[in-house]
Amino acid sequence: MITPERLFGQRIGRVIHSWIDKINEINRKYAEPKIQMSGGVKFALLILRLYLIFLVLLLAYKFYTMLR
C-alpha cells in the first residue's frame, strides 16, 4: 500500500497522515448517535438526503449535457 509519506515526502506525508488520523478519530466518535431521533426527524433527514442525491444527479446531468 502506498503511504502518504512515500507519495508526498516525509514532511507533507506526516501532515496528511495526521489529518487522516484525526478524521478517522472523529468518525469513530460520532459513529453512533447520542440522542434519540423522533420519526419526524428521521423522515426530514431522509427527505433531505433524497434532495441532495437529486441535486447531485441534476448537476451531473447538466455537466454531461454541456460536454455533449
Side-chain angles (χ1 to χ4, degrees):
M1 185 171 106
I2 298 175
T3 62
E5 288 86 3
R6 285 190 69 187
L7 192 60
F8 298 108
Q10 289 295 324
R11 185 172 291 173
I12 296 174
R14 280 190 302 244
V15 170
I16 292 172
H17 193 72
S18 68
W19 289 345
I20 291 171
D21 288 342
K22 190 64 170 175
I23 290 170
N24 287 336
E25 177 187 336
I26 291 169
N27 286 339
R28 278 191 304 274
K29 180 178 178 183
Y30 294 108
E32 294 292 324
K34 296 186 189 303
I35 60 171
Q36 293 293 324
M37 292 187 285
S38 67
V41 170
K42 288 181 183 180
F43 179 72
L45 289 174
L46 174 67
I47 296 299
L48 285 172
R49 185 176 294 138
L50 293 174
Y51 179 63
L52 177 63
I53 291 170
F54 171 73
L55 288 178
V56 169
L57 291 174
L58 188 64
L59 182 65
Y61 173 74
K62 178 67 175 175
F63 180 71
Y64 173 74
T65 57
M66 287 180 67
L67 287 180
R68 251 180 35 159

